Amino acid sequence: MISYKFITQDKAEDIKALSLKKAMRSFQTKAGDAKEVTVEWKSRKGNISFHSYKLPYTFRKERKGRLWEY
């Protein structure tokens, strides 16, 4: 499991998950009215990464939708 640290303007929260997608789903329910979040994590290889996301985050499946609807 990877430990993700979600940092908003007033608090920080650690969530353990197998993927960033699952950690984002878990955090969004607790985020409240936050507009942006910075995520820090350490990969399995030991590299430290961070990225900022706008909330509410839409996942790829929601952004793309179904391509072939009849």
Side-chain angles (χ1 to χ4, degrees), residues 10-21:
D10 57 345
K11 64 178 181 175
E13 182 176 346
D14 288 330
I15 295 177
K16 290 191 178 215
L18 291 176
S19 67
L20 179 60
K21 178 181 177 181

Side-chain angles (χ1 to χ4, degrees), residues 3-68:
S3 179
Y4 295 94
K5 186 174 188 177
F6 290 87
I7 304 166
T8 58
Q9 46 202 304
D10 57 345
K11 64 178 181 175
E13 182 176 346
D14 288 330
I15 295 177
K16 290 191 178 215
L18 291 176
S19 67
L20 179 60
K21 178 181 177 181
K22 291 180 181 180
M24 284 291 287
R25 281 202 194 275
S26 175
F27 177 75
Q28 278 192 148
T29 58
K30 307 171 194 173
D33 60 348
K35 298 292 180 189
E36 189 172 345
V37 64
T38 302
V39 184
E40 287 183 9
W41 67 94
K42 187 175 184 180
S43 69
R44 293 182 179 103
K45 292 183 177 181
N47 300 327
I48 296 175
S49 303
F50 60 93
H51 198 274
S52 294
Y53 295 98
K54 292 182 181 178
L55 295 177
Y57 183 74
T58 55
F59 297 95
R60 184 177 191 275
K61 186 175 183 179
E62 296 166 358
R63 286 193 311 263
K64 298 298 178 185
R66 292 196 53 153
L67 296 176
W68 302 103

